[in-house]
Amino acid sequence: MLTALSILLDAISYGMVLFTISIGLSIMMGLMRVVNLAHGAFAMIGGYLASYALKTLGVSYPIAIIMAVVGTIIISIPFEVLLYRRIYRHSDALTQLLLTIGITFVIIGLANFTLGPTSKPIPLPAALSGPFDLGFRMIATHRLLVIACGLVTALALWLLIDKTEFGVRMRAAVDNGDMAESLGIRTQWIYSATFALAVGLAAFGGVLGAEMLPIEPFYALRYMVTFLVVVSVGGAGSILGALSASLFLGLADTTGKYLAPEFGEFFFYLAVILTVFLFPRGLLGRAH
């Protein structure tokens, strides 16, 4: 029982890391219908900015997260204005794939050239770096923060997308952009704001998850498939689907590594194959 509880706890914390990073990609693919393979690159940028803010500027951890999110959004603006706007609404998936994978390699090259090939740790404050006693085991306090942030993020996004005027306008702009514009909705502003939201979520997740997914120049390529898998299993555009997929895959991966570590990520991808076979649109995907 203690082993099962330990597996479950570690699976939830890992799943929440996957969720906080991947939910922005789910929004891009499901709501904006843009296959953004550069999503991991923006998460990596957020991690680099947080590391710089903490180690060089000496700011507090919460301020470093805010600086990372805002800084990543600012850095992404030229990409959005010059490149992404060309693939909104009127571009096929292959064009999106080629463009965004090109952006990924550019960002990786710049990061490797300017910051070096080594990983960049994100130091935690004393309050988060120590253990927390749950009675049956000790767990890093930071992992409890990750779980809490994942739940808050899921709730906030659900309220934003399903319960606000912005969410209604976003769905209208994607489903029928011409009609939305004729009704006075500024679709370009909606697309830009949604892109900024997705990028900000990527940076936020990149910083929170750096303990489990270390920040280094090839981060974007190393975890690209993982983030895509979460979206595919959960169903693009579904917040609950992304959360369910993240927790399910986190459980499959953690259980496999506890009980049969020699198999590596075998159980993770076995869970992916079975889920996609049974649910071709993902667990809770939106039908288009």
Side-chain angles (χ1 to χ4, degrees):
M1 179 62 70
L2 292 179
T3 300
L5 289 174
S6 295
I7 292 174
L8 181 62
L9 190 61
D10 287 340
I12 291 173
S13 60
Y14 179 53
M16 284 302 183
V17 167
L18 295 180
F19 172 76
T20 53
I21 300 176
S22 302
I23 186 58
L25 179 59
S26 182
I27 289 173
M28 288 287 289
M29 291 180 62
L31 299 182
M32 296 182 66
R33 298 174 191 171
V34 173
V35 184
N36 183 23
L37 295 187
H39 186 77
F42 292 118
M44 180 184 73
I45 291 173
Y48 275 123
L49 291 178
S51 178
Y52 176 80
L54 287 165
K55 296 173 64 177
T56 304
L57 301 181
V59 302
S60 65
Y61 188 72
I63 297 299
I65 292 178
I66 294 172
M67 292 178 65
V69 171
V70 175
T72 304
I73 292 174
I74 292 173
I75 291 172
S76 73
I77 289 175
F79 291 100
E80 198 273 337
V81 172
L82 299 175
L83 298 174
Y84 281 90
R85 288 187 183 181
R86 298 175 180 270
I87 60 175
Y88 294 153
R89 292 172 54 186
H90 305 298
S91 183
D92 60 87
L94 179 59
T95 301
Q96 296 173 0
L97 288 171
L98 292 175
L99 175 63
T100 56
I101 195 67
I103 293 172
T104 299
F105 279 109
V106 167
I107 293 176
I108 288 174
L110 290 174
N112 200 26
F113 177 75
T114 58
L115 301 171
T118 59
S119 62
K120 300 296 180 183
I122 298 179
L124 297 173
L128 296 177
S129 58
F132 187 87
D133 189 0
L134 294 176
F136 64 94
R137 65 162 287 183
M138 306 293 285
I139 185 174
T141 307
H142 175 257
R143 296 202 173 194
L144 297 179
L145 174 67
V146 169
I147 294 173
C149 287
L151 293 174
V152 170
T153 299
L155 177 61
L157 285 175
W158 175 72
L159 292 173
L160 175 67
I161 294 175
D162 286 1
K163 302 297 180 180
T164 67
E165 183 179 351
F166 173 79
V168 173
R169 290 173 179 265
M170 184 202 319
R171 295 194 298 274
V174 171
D175 291 337
N176 195 328
D178 294 333
M179 179 62 72
E181 288 179 351
S182 69
L183 295 174
I185 297 176
R186 299 171 59 186
T187 57
Q188 186 56 65
W189 182 89
I190 294 292
Y191 274 109
S192 297
T194 306
F195 176 83
L197 173 64
V199 167
L201 289 169
F204 179 60
V207 177
L208 279 181
E211 180 198 13
M212 301 182 207
L213 307 179
I215 302 297
E216 44 89 16
F218 292 97
Y219 177 100
L221 288 179
R222 188 181 304 275
Y223 302 114
M224 178 190 296
V225 173
T226 303
F227 303 150
L228 285 171
V229 158
V230 172
V231 176
S232 176
V233 170
S238 171
I239 297 169
L240 183 58
L243 181 60
S244 302
S246 298
L247 294 175
F248 171 64
L249 295 175
L251 180 61
D253 189 57
T254 303
T255 302
K257 289 179 178 177
Y258 258 87
L259 303 180
E262 65 275 12
F263 282 86
E265 297 183 337
F266 170 80
F267 294 101
F268 179 89
Y269 288 105
L270 177 62
V272 172
I273 292 170
L274 292 176
T275 305
V276 173
F277 175 76
L278 295 173
F279 305 95
R281 283 202 180 99
L283 294 174
L284 295 168
R286 295 174 181 265
H288 297 313

